[in-house]
């Protein structure tokens, strides 16, 4: 069924949703990490109920669960569409002022709240392909929040359309909105038994046609350096400054390889993300990434040896080396269920798009969900330049994503 432009709600929804501040906090120990994430979750649960989805609700942790009931009599797999409500801590998400640039004409987009912020098609080639589309940006002082409120808007638009068109046949469709994805805790409190889905799709991808079935495998590493503290007035020959030892470890990291800024495609890396401490004790937090899970141990051994060599140069200093598993490459699970990706490809192509299967140099909620028992590749929404003031998205890309979900729901009803 071909929809008219007026039948889509994605633009209106995204513009509303991004004005709700849902930034998560990596330094918080609560769940969700910020209570304000629930502000959007409440809105979404209420809007789903208003569509006629009776079981829509937000739980105590800020997750939204809902079921679009099946309208076929035969048994078909239950699928889930999932997006996250939080925005990244990297850039302010407070007082987002969304701007709708109708029928983009190919020129630079100068953001009015800070004219030094310019989104240029020269810098961002995908924008050149969007001439004639309606483009949404922020005003220039905040991120937009299309990551992942565009996914939320797409799923909500799909839900509304299916509820309004019962002639479109589909099985039961579960909707899941999660908090805290941006700080790595998006699935920490999810109840998959309550969700009751067999297969899933996250809506957390980029260019139209993108379908991601592979992510990094990921670990976290903390190196804790223990120095020797003493009053600086009587420190000669005694003091061992843990901060200086930590700085030396960072300085010893390779300059031309093994880092995010020097790698691409399928190359892994080790990346320091936080340094804290005092003279007596300092901690360096790293993220370790590779598409091949076995290579994580190789990276960690190399890092541990490098750090140990540095610490040995500071007599009296010691270190602890702690590895924490974060997530694993979803492809290890998805390859066991090829129909999930195959049907997504079919749905994308049925809507006139070329499928681009990519490996994500990162992770999504789908990475963890796949290993928790809900195989879950990632589908595009159109969002670009994530986590910063130059974030933008094409309304038409979001509309296509909604069409893909509607098609996908119907394809699963035939399985």
């Amino acid at each position: 069924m071909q929809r008219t432009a007026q039948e889509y709600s994605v633009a209106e929804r995204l513009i509303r949703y991004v004005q709700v501040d849902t930034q998560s906090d990596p330094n918080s120990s609560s769940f969700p990490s910020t209570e304000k994430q629930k502000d959007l979750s409440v809105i979404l649960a209420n809007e789903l109920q208003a569509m006629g989805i009776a079981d829509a609700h937000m739980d105590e942790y800020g997750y939204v669960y809902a079921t679009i009931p099946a309208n076929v009599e035969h048994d078909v797999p239950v699928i889930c569409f999932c997006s996250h409500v939080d925005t990244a801590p990297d850039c302010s998400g407070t007082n987002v002022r969304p701007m709708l640039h109708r029928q983009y004409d190919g020129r630079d987009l100068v953001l009015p709240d800070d004219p030094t912020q310019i989104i240029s098609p020269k810098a961002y080639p995908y924008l050149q392909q969007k001439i004639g589309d309606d483009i949404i940006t922020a005003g220039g002082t905040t991120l937009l929040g299309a990551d992942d409120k565009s996914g939320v808007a797409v799923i909500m638009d799909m839900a509304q359309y299916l509820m309004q068109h019962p002639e479109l046949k589909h099985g039961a469709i579960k909707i899941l909105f999660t908090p805290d994805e941006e700080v790595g805790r998006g699935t920490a409190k999810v109840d998959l038994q309550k969700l009751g889905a067999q297969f899933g799709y996250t809506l957390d991808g980029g260019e139209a046609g993108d379908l991601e079935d592979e992510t990094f495998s990921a670990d976290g590493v903390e190196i804790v350096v223990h120095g020797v503290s003493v009053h600086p007035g009587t420190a000669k020959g005694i003091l061992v400054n843990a901060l200086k030892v930590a700085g030396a470890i960072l300085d010893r990291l390779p300059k031309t390889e093994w880092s995010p800024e020097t790698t691409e495609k399928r190359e892994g890396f080790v990346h320091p993300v936080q340094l804290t401490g005092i003279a007596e004790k300092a901690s360096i937090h790293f993220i370790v990434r590779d598409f091949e899970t076995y290579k994580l141990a190789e990276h960690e051994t190399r890092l541990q040896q490098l750090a140990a060599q540095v610490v040995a140069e500071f007599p009296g200093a010691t270190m602890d080396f702690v590895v924490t598993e974060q997530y694993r490459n979803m492809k290890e699970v998805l390859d066991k269920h090829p129909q999930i990706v195959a049907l997504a490809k079919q749905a994308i192509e049925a809507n006139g798009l070329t499928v681009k299967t990519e490996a994500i140099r990162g992770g999504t909620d789908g990475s963890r969900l796949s290993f928790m028992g809900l195989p879950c590749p990632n589908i595009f929404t159109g969002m670009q330049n994530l986590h910063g003031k130059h974030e933008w998205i094409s309304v038409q890309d979001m509309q296509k994503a909604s069409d893909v979900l509607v098609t996908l729901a119907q394809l699963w009803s035939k399985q």
Side-chain angles (χ1 to χ4, degrees):
M1 180 180 293
Q2 188 67 36
R3 286 201 256 179
T4 65
Q6 290 71 33
E7 290 183 281
Y8 294 98
S9 62
V10 284
E12 178 273 330
R13 290 184 184 280
L14 180 64
I15 286 170
R16 273 195 300 113
Y17 297 160
V18 299
Q19 294 180 69
V20 183
D21 184 0
T22 58
Q23 190 174 55
S24 48
D25 180 2
N27 298 313
S28 169
S29 59
S30 65
F31 196 96
S33 63
T34 54
E35 279 294 304
K36 60 188 177 182
Q37 294 178 63
K38 292 182 178 179
D39 294 343
L40 180 55
S41 293
V42 168
I43 292 170
L44 297 173
N46 289 339
E47 290 183 1
L48 288 165
Q49 288 181 356
M51 294 177 196
I53 301 176
D55 71 343
H57 68 283
M58 181 191 76
D59 74 1
E60 61 183 304
Y61 302 113
Y63 291 89
V64 176
Y65 298 85
T67 308
I68 302 174
N71 59 11
V72 294
E73 295 182 359
H74 57 285
D75 289 336
V76 299
V78 178
I79 61 171
C80 171
F81 295 124
C82 172
S83 292
H84 63 88
V85 298
D86 65 314
T87 60
D90 308 59
C91 182
S92 174
T94 303
N95 297 323
V96 173
R97 197 163 81 91
M99 316 290 296
L100 177 62
H101 309 262
R102 295 189 182 277
Q103 295 184 316
Y104 171 62
D105 61 7
R107 292 182 291 183
D108 288 353
L109 294 171
V110 180
L111 304 184
D113 296 344
D114 181 356
T116 66
Q117 301 297 328
I118 299 171
I119 302 176
S120 168
K122 293 181 180 178
Y124 307 115
Y126 186 59
L127 189 57
Q128 297 175 6
Q129 302 176 32
K130 300 290 114 178
I131 293 174
D133 281 12
D134 300 323
I135 304 298
I136 300 177
T137 70
T141 59
T142 67
L143 49 66
L144 173 60
D147 180 11
D148 188 25
K149 291 171 185 173
S150 63
V152 173
V154 166
I155 292 171
M156 293 292 286
D157 181 82
M158 174 274 304
Q160 176 177 285
Y161 192 71
L162 288 182
M163 292 299 291
Q164 292 175 343
H165 291 272
E167 73 276 10
L168 300 176
K169 300 304 179 183
H170 56 80
I173 298 168
K174 301 290 183 172
I175 293 171
L176 175 65
F177 296 131
T178 67
D180 278 350
E181 190 270 355
E182 295 290 2
V183 294
R185 305 174 204 159
T187 63
K189 302 289 187 179
V190 69
D191 187 339
L192 289 185
Q193 185 174 358
K194 179 169 77 171
L195 183 67
Q198 294 166 259
F199 308 111
Y201 298 89
T202 52
L203 273 291
D204 197 11
E207 296 183 13
D210 280 3
L211 174 61
E212 296 158 332
D213 65 348
E214 184 170 13
T215 62
F216 273 142
S217 286
D219 282 347
V221 169
E222 182 182 13
I223 297 177
V224 182
V225 178
H226 302 278
V228 179
S229 181
V230 68
H231 190 286
T234 56
K236 184 174 182 179
I238 303 172
L239 175 67
V240 182
N241 192 320
L243 288 169
K244 289 185 177 181
V245 180
I249 292 172
L250 292 173
D251 185 62
R252 195 69 59 87
L253 294 172
K255 307 296 191 294
T256 59
E257 49 101 13
W258 211 38
S259 64
E261 62 269 29
T262 59
T263 55
E264 61 179 349
K265 297 178 181 177
R266 296 191 65 83
E267 297 172 308
F269 59 74
V270 168
H271 178 42
V273 293
Q274 187 178 50
L275 171 63
T276 59
I278 55 177
E280 183 182 33
K281 179 181 176 182
S283 295
I284 316 171
H285 292 266
F286 294 83
I287 59 173
V288 182
R289 302 289 189 263
D290 208 292
F291 288 104
E292 306 296 335
T293 301
Y294 74 89
K295 289 186 179 180
L296 295 179
E298 296 178 3
H299 295 311
E300 289 151 9
T301 297
R302 181 183 178 187
L303 178 61
Q304 186 172 17
Q305 291 174 344
L306 178 152
Q309 290 170 0
V310 172
V311 170
E313 297 169 8
F314 292 82
T318 60
M319 77 170 196
D320 301 322
F321 190 91
V322 182
V323 177
T324 303
E325 180 178 321
Q326 294 181 328
Y327 57 85
R328 293 294 180 256
N329 188 341
M330 65 167 70
K331 193 170 180 62
E332 297 174 18
V333 174
L334 292 175
D335 281 350
K336 300 174 183 177
H337 306 277
Q339 77 273 29
I340 306 173
V341 173
L343 289 175
K345 288 181 178 178
Q346 187 177 340
I348 292 170
E349 291 170 346
N351 284 281
L353 298 172
T354 300
V355 177
K356 292 171 283 185
T357 304
E358 297 188 348
I360 310 171
R361 286 180 63 81
T364 69
D365 275 344
S367 304
R368 291 185 178 87
L369 289 171
S370 292
F371 283 88
M372 292 169 68
L374 185 70
C376 204
N378 191 40
I379 293 175
F380 74 91
T381 69
M383 57 184 173
Q384 299 291 305
N385 307 340
L386 314 180
H387 298 190
K389 297 174 183 177
H390 289 188
E391 191 178 4
W392 63 271
I393 192 165
S394 157
V395 171
Q396 284 73 16
D397 280 359
M398 286 194 290
Q399 292 172 347
K400 278 291 187 183
S402 181
D403 290 340
V404 167
L405 298 196
V406 171
T407 302
L408 194 49
Q410 295 175 85
L411 290 174
W412 273 103
S413 73
K414 301 172 184 176
Q415 298 305 300

